[in-house]
Amino acid sequence: ANFGFHAVGRRLSTPLLCAGPVAAVHHSFSTSGTHVLMKVVYDRERVQQDAAPLPCVIFFSGADCPHESYMWLATRLARSGFLVVLSSCVVPFGGSSCLLSAPYDLTMLADVKLYKQGPATQGISDILAELKKLNDRSSVLQGKLDLSLLFFGGHSTGGRTVIDLVAFETEFPIAAVFSYGASLVN
């Protein structure tokens, strides 16, 4: 059987079924005063054996949901041949704070024109820059991340974030987005 996957007219070189054990690279960085914890989940056997870069899924969690809550999904996607990026950071939210997947500019919610520029755009750009560093430096993931065409997924607030990526103009190389339980209230 052929378990290939087609996305935006491009055939991915990696079949989607795999049963190997998963592993993760943990990485942290700071951007604009926000500390971001990032985890890249992957199939250990596939990364060791496959010379080609693997497609990446960047997954955004719901508000106040730590990225570890989505390891069940990251594990299934990794076993299917994807490298899965999960992240968490604490961002200011009114007089309090909120746990999100990417730095988020809440001031952009005050105006529709600003909102259409994407409150998470800079945070996503920063995550992609860190992924490029992981892909370029000497590590188990060196040369393993295909950052030329990305899959974005999300739950709740993260689901709304990925829907906005395709609803508004962005510079990101998007292959597909998926969302469940998206928060559609703004």
Side-chain angles (χ1 to χ4, degrees):
N2 180 0
F3 298 105
F5 184 78
H6 293 272
V8 192
R10 178 178 161 201
R11 173 114 168 93
L12 296 176
S13 63
T14 307
L16 285 181
L17 289 185
C18 182
V22 297
V25 169
H26 299 266
H27 181 72
S28 63
F29 65 96
S30 292
T31 178
S32 304
T34 301
H35 187 72
V36 180
L37 301 175
M38 189 167 66
K39 179 186 288 190
V40 182
V41 182
Y42 60 93
D43 180 288
R44 184 181 298 125
E45 291 173 11
R46 187 176 297 269
V47 164
Q48 290 172 349
Q49 296 171 2
D50 197 343
L54 300 174
C56 294
V57 173
I58 300 175
F59 189 83
F60 296 104
S61 63
D64 288 328
C65 296
H67 65 260
E68 293 85 3
S69 301
Y70 302 94
M71 277 302 295
W72 65 272
L73 178 59
T75 299
R76 291 192 74 161
L77 290 170
R79 286 184 177 154
S80 296
F82 291 91
L83 293 165
V84 183
V85 181
L86 304 170
S87 59
S88 295
C89 63
V90 177
V91 298
F93 187 75
S96 182
S97 62
C98 182
L99 184 67
L100 294 176
S101 290
Y104 196 92
D105 185 353
L106 289 171
T107 63
M108 296 179 95
L109 298 177
D111 180 88
V112 172
K113 288 181 184 178
L114 287 175
Y115 182 75
K116 287 183 177 183
Q117 295 173 18
T121 300
Q122 185 58 53
I124 295 168
S125 293
D126 295 340
I127 289 171
L128 289 174
E130 292 298 316
L131 289 174
K132 183 172 179 353
K133 289 178 190 175
L134 284 175
N135 201 37
D136 292 344
R137 74 177 189 203
S138 181
S139 75
V140 68
L141 296 178
Q142 183 179 22
K144 296 297 183 182
L145 290 87
D146 180 355
L147 300 175
S148 66
L149 202 56
L150 302 167
F151 297 81
F152 288 92
H155 165 243
S156 191
T157 304
R160 176 58 185 259
T161 299
V162 301
I163 289 171
D164 287 348
L165 286 176
V166 292
F168 307 133
E169 294 292 323
T170 65
E171 300 292 322
F172 305 118
I174 300 172
V177 299
F178 64 94
S179 172
Y180 69 97
S183 171
L184 301 178
V185 179
N186 267 17

